[in-house]
Each structure stands twice: as C-alpha cells, then as structure tokens.
Amino acid sequence: QVQLVESGGGLVQAGGSLRLSCTASGNIVNILSMAWYRQTPGKAREQVARISIRGSTNYVDSVKGRFTISRDDANKNIVYLQMDSLKPEDTAVYLCYADSVTYVDRMQYFTGNFWGQGTQVTVSP
C-alpha cells in the first residue's frame, strides 16, 4: 500500500513562514499529481495547490504569490509547500493528497488516490 506522511506544521505569527513536507512511501511506480488541501471546522476541504508529474502548478487565488508548491528534485515522491506571508485565515489542517498513484502490491499493479493524516498550521494575529 501507499502512505503519505506530512510534517512541518506549527504555530507562527502573521507574516511568518512555514514549509510543509509530504513523503509518499510504498512500492510506487508513478504519481500523476500531488496536492495540498486544507480544512477548517465547518468548511469544505479546499485545494490549496497542486503540482503535476510534469511540474505544472496551480493555486487557489487566496494563496497566489505567497505559497509555492514543489517536488523534490531527487525524489519525486516528496512534495513541499512553502508558505510565506502567512495570515490568520491560513490557519487550518493541511493535508497532502496523491492523485492516480500506480503502485505494486503482491506482484500486481494498482492505481489509487491517497491522503495523508494532516498537519496543523496555526497563524496568530
């Protein structure tokens, strides 16, 4: 199976920065795209940023110019979210998502989508 593990969340003052990391592990052959979502109580889960296998990116309007998603050069199964100029409204649980993951299990190929467990980001005023 495939597991996603996030790290890098925490408490920061408004205007500060954080860098989130997500590592996908397992017998992974390929990942079509990876994304960061965020969720706050009472609100729908929101896609913050996405990066494709070819490196194309897209962002929700509220984070454009402040957040940067990237994949590790050496290990394409690691994705980062650099968050700068943080605002209190960025406070949320941030979740990593891997889309269309091809992996090997018991000598067979499977494709599936996977979520990480989430990491809390809190931005104080």
Side-chain angles (χ1 to χ4, degrees):
Q1 278 284 346
V2 174
Q3 287 189 324
L4 304 182
V5 177
E6 301 104 331
S7 62
L11 173 65
V12 65
Q13 286 189 326
S17 298
L18 282 174
R19 189 193 197 204
L20 305 183
S21 299
C22 172
T23 299
S25 61
N27 294 323
I28 296 169
V29 176
N30 190 43
I31 301 176
L32 183 63
S33 68
M34 295 184 77
W36 287 96
Y37 284 73
R38 63 188 178 187
Q39 187 153 31
T40 55
K43 289 188 177 181
R45 192 170 288 184
E46 173 186 54
Q47 181 179 292
V48 175
R50 179 177 290 266
I51 185 165
S52 75
I53 190 171
R54 290 182 173 80
S56 61
T57 59
N58 58 71
Y59 300 89
V60 68
D61 285 346
S62 60
V63 308
K64 285 180 180 176
R66 300 189 298 121
F67 290 11
T68 303
I69 189 170
S70 62
R71 282 174 108 154
D72 190 271
D73 289 337
N75 183 344
K76 297 301 181 185
N77 296 337
I78 299 175
V79 67
Y80 304 105
L81 185 67
Q82 178 66 41
M83 305 186 293
D84 298 318
S85 302
L86 282 161
K87 304 175 180 179
E89 51 264 43
D90 294 319
T91 295
V93 174
Y94 284 72
L95 303 104
C96 181
Y97 176 71
D99 184 16
S100 299
V101 181
T102 301
Y103 62 98
V104 177
D105 186 23
R106 290 163 290 175
M107 300 180 67
Q108 295 185 71
Y109 285 90
F110 297 88
T111 300
N113 305 321
F114 297 90
W115 290 94
Q117 80 288 352
T119 185
Q120 177 69 45
V121 171
T122 303
V123 184
S124 62

